[in-house]
Amino acid sequence: MKTINTRRSIRKYQCKEVNNELINRLLSESERTQTMGNLQLYSVVITHSDEQKRKLAPAHFHQPMVTQAPVVLTFCADFRRTSSWAECRKAQPGYDNFLSFINAATDTLLYCQTFCNLAEEAGLGLCFLGTTLYNPKSIIDTLQLPRLVMPVATITLGWPDETPDLTDRLPLSAIVHDETYHDYTPERIDQFYLEKESLPENIHYCQVNEKETLAQVFTDIRYTKKDNEAMSKNLLDALKQQGFL
């Protein structure tokens, strides 16, 4: 795959349509993704209209690419279809529980990633929105998702109108453990994070946020304990609403 080593998040798109034939081809090819029990526990809601994109935008903190991208795709963990199939075939489904959500969410994220890889290989640009699980109730209402359907991933999609720099990644040795898990000592942390913390853009990031270390930017500003706890409650409430808890 030519694009895997040059992939980047695209947040600016050309004013050019992404035709349904291409989207459907990529979604169809993505169905070859591995899936639990061959059940394909996912659905995708495709948003083209400006009106619907505007309705989705608040859930994603009004990130500009949500309304500017030609297409927004919301990938949903879906046990409703499988449960309906069971009920129509004289079977009793038992998928209104947290394990079933995890299984469906795993299927969905695998499917989403395959689609992303294929879309980028076709020349499209995209951005994965981590905000989907922050405000799921708003997305559920906007997309009219029924019981046992839960949004877990969103991507904006279009033809790129920018070529941003590649973002840094940790060395492979930081994430690979031989035979058993090897915990991270202060010395290993220094080794693995030295390059990231030494990048000029990250040094500047600390300066503009008036923080001593890059880690403090993440813990004190970007992903705070208070916000994580509040959004965890929203997520659990949504899972209960959708029948997974």
Side-chain angles (χ1 to χ4, degrees), residues 14 24 33 91 154 169:
Q14 299 176 34
N24 288 335
T33 302
T154 303
R169 291 293 187 264

Side-chain angles (χ1 to χ4, degrees), residues 5-210:
N5 288 316
T6 59
R7 76 145 311 277
R8 45 178 53 85
S9 293
I10 300 298
R11 296 176 173 83
K12 295 180 181 179
Y13 304 94
Q14 299 176 34
C15 295
K16 179 182 175 182
E17 178 187 3
V18 182
N19 65 62
N20 285 330
E21 182 181 358
L22 175 57
I23 294 173
N24 288 335
R25 176 175 69 80
L26 297 172
L27 289 170
S28 178
E29 290 175 356
S30 299
E31 285 193 272
R32 299 312 307 169
T33 302
Q34 56 268 51
T35 174
M36 193 201 80
N38 198 28
L39 291 174
Q40 295 182 251
L41 303 171
Y42 48 76
S43 287
V44 185
V45 180
I46 305 174
T47 302
H48 293 282
S49 76
D50 291 339
E51 179 184 0
Q52 278 292 83
K53 284 186 277 188
R54 284 194 296 269
K55 289 180 180 179
L56 285 171
H60 299 291
F61 300 104
H62 293 283
Q63 295 178 83
M65 58 274 197
V66 175
T67 51
Q68 196 257 330
V71 185
V72 177
L73 293 93
T74 306
F75 292 77
C76 303
D78 186 344
F79 243 119
R80 184 174 186 85
R81 181 179 61 251
T82 301
S83 295
S84 297
W85 171 58
E87 291 166 350
C88 289
R89 298 294 183 268
K90 300 178 182 180
Q92 295 297 318
Y95 308 122
D96 52 349
N97 47 68
F98 186 62
L99 177 62
S100 295
F101 166 70
I102 293 296
N103 286 332
T106 301
D107 267 21
T108 306
L109 291 172
L110 288 169
Y111 179 70
C112 176
Q113 184 59 66
T114 299
F115 176 84
C116 290
N117 289 339
L118 292 173
E120 289 172 332
E121 192 73 1
L124 291 161
L126 56 92
C127 185
F128 184 95
L129 305 183
T131 45
T132 305
L133 293 177
Y134 293 177
N135 296 298
K137 287 186 177 181
S138 175
I139 299 172
I140 290 167
D141 291 342
T142 299
L143 301 183
Q144 301 178 24
L145 304 182
R147 187 175 184 273
L148 297 184
V149 180
M150 182 75 180
V152 295
T154 303
I155 66 166
T156 55
L157 184 72
W159 301 104
D161 197 29
E162 63 172 348
T163 309
D165 293 335
L166 295 178
T167 51
D168 63 277
R169 291 293 187 264
L170 292 172
L172 185 63
S173 55
I175 65 170
V176 173
H177 301 257
D178 188 22
E179 301 294 351
T180 60
Y181 190 96
H182 300 278
D183 207 356
Y184 295 95
T185 63
E187 292 76 20
R188 296 183 76 215
I189 291 295
D190 289 344
Q191 174 189 348
F192 296 146
Y193 283 86
L194 175 63
E195 183 176 353
K196 177 186 283 287
E197 292 173 334
S198 300
L199 292 172
E201 57 267 35
N202 285 335
I203 293 173
H204 178 69
Y205 203 19
C206 293
Q207 293 171 343
V208 298
N209 286 287
E210 299 181 343

